[in-house]
Amino acid sequence: MAEAGGESFEGQMLVAQCILNAAEKRGVEPSEAVVLYSYTKSRPDPTQRVKDAVAAVFDRGETVVDEPILYFYNPALVTSDFHESQIFVIEEGGHRFFAERSTR
């Protein structure tokens, strides 16, 4: 809700997809992944639409993109050389989404 409450349903699913991918990558609960990846500190109550987007990703296994996206940011609000150094996948609404660039 804090990251994409005002975005499209697809944008909300993309954020949920990042959180799920991060949790699976780290082997932690989604709430822990949110903290580890510093997604947001704000926790407003989710709308039904956000709950539906989360359920689509977490419960039904739906995805917007096939790439394992982990990172996102809103370039209208902040700049991020880190995010832009990763692999750009998609832009939806006000957010840009990225897969992790290999450190090999």
Side-chain angles (χ1 to χ4, degrees), residues 13-15 17-19 21-22 39 65-71 87 89-90 97-100:
M13 283 182 62
L14 284 161
V15 169
Q17 193 174 334
C18 283
I19 294 168
N21 289 341
Y39 288 130
V65 296
D66 292 333
E67 292 87 349
I69 55 175
L70 288 173
Y71 308 111
I87 300 168
V89 175
I90 190 172
F97 294 85
F98 302 84
E100 188 170 49

Side-chain angles (χ1 to χ4, degrees), residues 5-84:
E7 297 293 334
S8 67
F9 188 77
E10 188 173 75
Q12 293 167 351
M13 283 182 62
L14 284 161
V15 169
Q17 193 174 334
C18 283
I19 294 168
L20 179 60
N21 289 341
E24 289 175 346
K25 177 181 166 81
R26 289 290 192 92
V28 299
E29 292 296 315
S31 60
E32 293 174 85
V34 167
V35 173
L36 289 171
Y37 283 75
S38 301
Y39 288 130
T40 186
K41 290 181 177 42
S42 175
R43 298 282 182 270
D45 290 334
T47 62
Q48 186 58 51
R49 190 165 166 243
V50 167
K51 289 178 184 179
D52 292 345
V54 170
V57 173
F58 278 79
D59 300 337
R60 295 192 299 275
E62 297 176 24
T63 59
V64 177
V65 296
D66 292 333
E67 292 87 349
I69 55 175
L70 288 173
Y71 308 111
F72 61 92
Y73 83 107
N74 184 332
L77 300 177
V78 297
T79 58
S80 177
D81 291 338
F82 167 77
H83 287 87
E84 293 298 334

